[in-house]
Short mmCIF file of all heavy atoms in Angstrom, two decimals:
data_model
loop_
_atom_site.label_atom_id
_atom_site.label_comp_id
_atom_site.label_asym_id
_atom_site.label_seq_id
_atom_site.Cartn_x
_atom_site.Cartn_y
_atom_site.Cartn_z
N GLN A 1 100.14 94.87 80.10
CA GLN A 1 100.48 94.62 81.48
C GLN A 1 100.52 95.85 82.40
O GLN A 1 100.14 95.87 83.51
CB GLN A 1 101.90 93.92 81.58
CG GLN A 1 102.34 93.67 83.07
CD GLN A 1 101.48 92.73 83.89
OE1 GLN A 1 100.80 91.95 83.27
NE2 GLN A 1 101.52 92.81 85.17
N ALA A 2 101.03 97.00 81.74
CA ALA A 2 100.99 98.26 82.46
C ALA A 2 99.62 98.82 82.63
O ALA A 2 99.30 99.33 83.69
CB ALA A 2 101.86 99.25 81.75
N MET A 3 98.73 98.55 81.65
CA MET A 3 97.36 99.14 81.77
C MET A 3 96.36 98.17 82.50
O MET A 3 95.63 98.67 83.24
CB MET A 3 96.91 99.52 80.31
CG MET A 3 95.59 100.26 80.36
SD MET A 3 95.17 100.81 78.63
CE MET A 3 93.65 101.56 78.91
N PHE A 4 96.59 97.01 82.36
CA PHE A 4 95.63 95.97 82.87
C PHE A 4 96.45 94.77 83.60
O PHE A 4 96.60 93.79 83.04
CB PHE A 4 94.76 95.32 81.89
CG PHE A 4 93.92 96.30 81.01
CD1 PHE A 4 94.35 96.42 79.66
CD2 PHE A 4 92.92 97.16 81.58
CE1 PHE A 4 93.57 97.29 78.86
CE2 PHE A 4 92.30 98.04 80.82
CZ PHE A 4 92.54 98.13 79.49
N PRO A 5 97.07 95.08 84.76
CA PRO A 5 98.02 94.15 85.40
C PRO A 5 97.18 92.89 85.85
O PRO A 5 96.04 92.97 86.29
CB PRO A 5 98.65 94.94 86.48
CG PRO A 5 97.65 96.03 86.78
CD PRO A 5 96.88 96.40 85.51
N HIS A 6 98.04 91.83 85.95
CA HIS A 6 97.54 90.60 86.66
C HIS A 6 97.54 90.74 88.04
O HIS A 6 98.25 91.66 88.69
CB HIS A 6 98.43 89.43 86.25
CG HIS A 6 98.34 88.93 84.84
ND1 HIS A 6 99.00 89.52 83.76
CD2 HIS A 6 97.47 87.96 84.25
CE1 HIS A 6 98.62 88.91 82.68
NE2 HIS A 6 97.77 87.98 82.92
N HIS A 7 96.78 89.94 88.76
CA HIS A 7 96.82 89.78 90.18
C HIS A 7 98.08 88.97 90.51
O HIS A 7 98.16 87.74 90.16
CB HIS A 7 95.58 89.15 90.78
CG HIS A 7 94.40 90.08 90.67
ND1 HIS A 7 94.34 91.36 91.19
CD2 HIS A 7 93.15 89.85 90.23
CE1 HIS A 7 93.10 91.87 91.02
NE2 HIS A 7 92.35 90.98 90.39
N ALA A 8 98.90 89.53 91.21
CA ALA A 8 100.25 88.85 91.47
C ALA A 8 100.07 87.54 92.33
O ALA A 8 100.94 86.69 92.26
CB ALA A 8 101.30 89.85 92.21
N ASP A 9 99.08 87.45 93.10
CA ASP A 9 98.92 86.33 94.06
C ASP A 9 98.09 85.14 93.37
O ASP A 9 97.79 84.23 94.06
CB ASP A 9 98.23 86.72 95.24
CG ASP A 9 96.94 87.49 95.05
OD1 ASP A 9 96.77 87.99 93.92
OD2 ASP A 9 96.16 87.66 95.98
N LEU A 10 97.80 85.36 92.05
CA LEU A 10 97.10 84.24 91.32
C LEU A 10 97.93 83.76 90.10
O LEU A 10 98.68 84.54 89.54
CB LEU A 10 95.75 84.83 90.73
CG LEU A 10 94.69 85.16 91.81
CD1 LEU A 10 93.52 85.77 90.99
CD2 LEU A 10 94.26 83.93 92.57
N PRO A 11 97.72 82.53 89.76
CA PRO A 11 98.43 82.02 88.57
C PRO A 11 98.01 83.01 87.29
O PRO A 11 96.89 83.31 87.21
CB PRO A 11 98.01 80.73 88.36
CG PRO A 11 97.54 80.19 89.76
CD PRO A 11 97.06 81.41 90.43
N ALA A 12 98.92 83.08 86.35
CA ALA A 12 98.65 83.84 85.19
C ALA A 12 97.51 83.38 84.31
O ALA A 12 96.77 84.20 83.75
CB ALA A 12 99.92 84.01 84.24
N ASP A 13 97.26 82.06 84.33
CA ASP A 13 96.21 81.54 83.66
C ASP A 13 94.92 81.25 84.48
O ASP A 13 93.96 80.55 83.96
CB ASP A 13 96.55 80.25 82.98
CG ASP A 13 97.11 79.17 83.95
OD1 ASP A 13 97.22 79.50 85.09
OD2 ASP A 13 97.32 78.01 83.63
N SER A 14 94.88 81.82 85.63
CA SER A 14 93.68 81.59 86.56
C SER A 14 92.48 82.30 85.94
O SER A 14 92.59 83.41 85.51
CB SER A 14 93.93 82.16 87.95
OG SER A 14 92.73 82.15 88.71
N PRO A 15 91.29 81.65 85.99
CA PRO A 15 90.05 82.32 85.51
C PRO A 15 89.63 83.46 86.37
O PRO A 15 88.72 84.27 85.99
CB PRO A 15 88.92 81.19 85.46
CG PRO A 15 89.48 80.17 86.54
CD PRO A 15 91.06 80.26 86.43
N LEU A 16 90.35 83.59 87.58
CA LEU A 16 90.00 84.77 88.40
C LEU A 16 90.81 85.99 87.99
O LEU A 16 90.49 87.13 88.57
CB LEU A 16 90.22 84.30 89.94
CG LEU A 16 89.41 83.28 90.50
CD1 LEU A 16 89.83 82.92 91.87
CD2 LEU A 16 87.90 83.52 90.32
N GLN A 17 91.66 85.84 87.12
CA GLN A 17 92.36 87.04 86.68
C GLN A 17 91.50 87.91 85.86
O GLN A 17 90.49 87.51 85.27
CB GLN A 17 93.63 86.64 85.75
CG GLN A 17 94.76 85.84 86.45
CD GLN A 17 95.68 86.92 87.19
OE1 GLN A 17 95.25 88.03 87.33
NE2 GLN A 17 96.72 86.28 87.70
N PRO A 18 91.72 89.29 85.98
CA PRO A 18 90.84 90.23 85.17
C PRO A 18 90.89 89.82 83.62
O PRO A 18 91.89 89.47 83.06
CB PRO A 18 91.55 91.66 85.42
CG PRO A 18 92.31 91.41 86.57
CD PRO A 18 92.87 90.01 86.57
N LYS A 19 89.72 89.86 83.00
CA LYS A 19 89.68 89.56 81.63
C LYS A 19 90.49 90.46 80.72
O LYS A 19 91.26 90.02 79.86
CB LYS A 19 88.17 89.65 81.06
CG LYS A 19 87.26 88.57 81.51
CD LYS A 19 85.96 88.77 80.93
CE LYS A 19 85.03 87.53 81.25
NZ LYS A 19 83.72 87.70 80.60
N LEU A 20 90.63 91.78 81.03
CA LEU A 20 91.43 92.64 80.26
C LEU A 20 92.86 92.31 80.44
O LEU A 20 93.63 92.89 79.46
CB LEU A 20 90.98 94.09 80.81
CG LEU A 20 89.66 94.61 80.33
CD1 LEU A 20 89.50 95.96 80.92
CD2 LEU A 20 89.57 94.70 78.83
N ALA A 21 93.32 91.54 81.36
CA ALA A 21 94.71 91.29 81.50
C ALA A 21 95.08 90.25 80.39
O ALA A 21 96.26 89.98 80.04
CB ALA A 21 94.99 90.61 82.74
N ARG A 22 94.02 89.64 79.68
CA ARG A 22 94.30 88.81 78.60
C ARG A 22 93.78 89.40 77.25
O ARG A 22 93.53 88.68 76.29
CB ARG A 22 93.51 87.50 78.79
CG ARG A 22 94.09 86.69 79.98
CD ARG A 22 93.47 85.29 80.15
NE ARG A 22 91.99 85.33 80.30
CZ ARG A 22 91.40 85.44 81.44
NH1 ARG A 22 92.14 85.38 82.64
NH2 ARG A 22 90.06 85.39 81.61
N LEU A 23 93.70 90.67 77.22
CA LEU A 23 93.18 91.35 76.04
C LEU A 23 94.14 91.03 74.85
O LEU A 23 95.27 91.09 74.88
CB LEU A 23 93.21 92.91 76.24
CG LEU A 23 92.72 93.79 75.14
CD1 LEU A 23 91.12 93.69 75.09
CD2 LEU A 23 93.12 95.27 75.36
N ARG A 24 93.43 90.64 73.76
CA ARG A 24 94.12 90.42 72.52
C ARG A 24 94.05 91.59 71.58
O ARG A 24 93.14 92.41 71.57
CB ARG A 24 93.54 89.14 71.78
CG ARG A 24 93.39 87.95 72.70
CD ARG A 24 92.52 86.94 71.99
NE ARG A 24 91.17 87.46 71.69
CZ ARG A 24 90.33 87.01 70.69
NH1 ARG A 24 90.68 85.91 69.96
NH2 ARG A 24 89.25 87.58 70.48
N ARG A 25 94.97 91.54 70.52
CA ARG A 25 94.91 92.56 69.54
C ARG A 25 93.60 92.43 68.69
O ARG A 25 93.13 93.47 68.33
CB ARG A 25 96.15 92.44 68.58
CG ARG A 25 97.51 92.68 69.15
CD ARG A 25 98.58 92.15 68.33
NE ARG A 25 98.44 90.80 68.14
CZ ARG A 25 99.25 89.99 67.51
NH1 ARG A 25 100.47 90.39 67.13
NH2 ARG A 25 99.08 88.79 67.25
N HIS A 26 93.19 91.17 68.48
CA HIS A 26 92.01 90.95 67.76
C HIS A 26 90.72 91.65 68.47
O HIS A 26 89.77 91.84 67.77
CB HIS A 26 91.69 89.45 67.52
CG HIS A 26 90.75 89.20 66.54
ND1 HIS A 26 90.91 89.12 65.13
CD2 HIS A 26 89.37 88.88 66.64
CE1 HIS A 26 89.92 88.86 64.45
NE2 HIS A 26 88.87 88.70 65.23
N ASP A 27 90.81 91.85 69.80
CA ASP A 27 89.60 92.38 70.53
C ASP A 27 89.44 93.87 70.11
O ASP A 27 88.35 94.32 70.27
CB ASP A 27 89.88 92.30 72.04
CG ASP A 27 89.75 90.82 72.47
OD1 ASP A 27 88.93 90.13 71.90
OD2 ASP A 27 90.58 90.42 73.41
#
């Protein structure tokens, strides 16, 4: 969250959120 923050004005699960905001350990 500190490195790749979400857009605060969008839902957390929105497809418009940056992909890296959903980065997994497996990535």
Side-chain angles (χ1 to χ4, degrees):
Q1 177 62 22
M3 191 170 175
F4 308 112
H6 287 85
H7 289 307
D9 54 344
L10 292 174
D13 59 350
S14 170
L16 299 178
Q17 291 283 6
K19 285 185 178 181
L20 288 172
R22 298 188 295 272
L23 183 75
R24 307 168 304 160
R25 296 162 305 183
H26 195 83
D27 291 318

